[in-house]
């Protein structure tokens, strides 16, 4: 592993950790700043393009989670894989689980395209796939029942 690959791996891993830290601590400004101005954030079938749309999504999600008294909560990442691109940037993959005060709420995967801009790593694209959720999760899609419901 050369120095450039090591820097990419460390920078991308720090970006993933920063996302969970800012999300879990409710620091919306720094969270949104982790995305490029024209970034694409997709969670299941909901696509948000640009920082304003991404911020609006996070505000709405935060309100949903506060309304069901699940907070505070924490994201837990595992199976983190970083695939540096020869031309720069990287693809990342991670499994996540969100645990709130009532226990596990939802879980799934992150798949990202990340780039370094002026020495700082940013998301160009983040795709969140929610693979499961608790019966009373605010993420249960309308018209769909959670497992065991």
């Amino acid at each position: 592993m050369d120095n450039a690959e090591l820097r990419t791996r460390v920078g991308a891993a720090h970006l993933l950790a920063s996302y969970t830290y800012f999300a879990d601590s409710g620091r919306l400004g720094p969270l949104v700043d982790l995305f490029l101005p024209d970034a694409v954030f997709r969670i299941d079938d909901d696509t948000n393009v640009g920082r304003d749309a991404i911020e609006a999504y996070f505000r709405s999600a935060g309100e949903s989670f506060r309304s069901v008294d699940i907070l505070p909560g924490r994201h837990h990442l595992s199976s983190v894989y970083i695939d540096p691109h020869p031309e720069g940037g990287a693809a990342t993959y991670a499994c996540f689980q969100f645990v709130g005060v009532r226990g596990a709420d939802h879980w799934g995967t992150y798949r990202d395209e990340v780039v370094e801009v002026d020495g700082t790593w940013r998301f160009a694209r983040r795709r969140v796939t929610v693979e499961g959720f608790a019966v009373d999760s605010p993420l249960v899609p309308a018209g769909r029942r959670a497992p065991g419901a």
Side-chain angles (χ1 to χ4, degrees):
M1 180 179 316
D2 64 15
N3 190 44
E5 182 180 347
L6 179 61
R7 289 178 48 79
T8 296
R9 290 183 185 282
V10 170
H14 180 70
L15 177 62
L16 298 180
S18 297
Y19 178 92
T20 60
Y21 173 73
F22 294 140
D24 292 348
S25 61
R27 297 182 61 197
L28 189 59
L31 177 64
V32 172
D33 286 345
L34 296 176
F35 292 84
L36 291 175
D38 61 348
V40 176
F41 176 80
R42 184 170 180 185
I43 179 164
D44 294 327
D45 294 330
D46 185 8
T47 301
N48 303 276
V49 179
R51 285 184 177 155
D52 289 343
I54 293 167
E55 181 176 354
Y57 172 82
F58 286 135
R59 282 190 189 285
S60 176
E63 291 169 10
S64 294
F65 279 82
R66 282 188 293 280
S67 75
V68 295
D69 279 334
I70 197 170
L71 301 176
R74 301 290 175 253
H75 287 83
H76 298 271
L77 297 183
S78 65
S79 304
V80 175
Y81 183 77
I82 299 166
D83 185 17
H85 297 312
E87 70 281 1
T92 72
Y93 168 89
C95 298
F96 74 88
Q97 180 182 51
F98 180 81
V99 179
V101 295
R102 296 184 310 235
D105 182 78
H106 60 280
W107 50 92
T109 60
Y110 295 135
R111 294 178 190 273
D112 307 307
E113 287 294 326
V114 300
V115 296
E116 185 179 17
V117 178
D118 297 327
T120 303
W121 285 86
R122 302 277 186 244
F123 292 104
R125 288 176 175 55
R126 169 155 266 207
R127 180 178 174 99
V128 181
T129 302
V130 178
E131 296 173 340
F133 35 82
V135 172
D136 54 353
S137 172
L139 291 184
V140 174
R144 183 170 166 198
R145 297 176 61 196

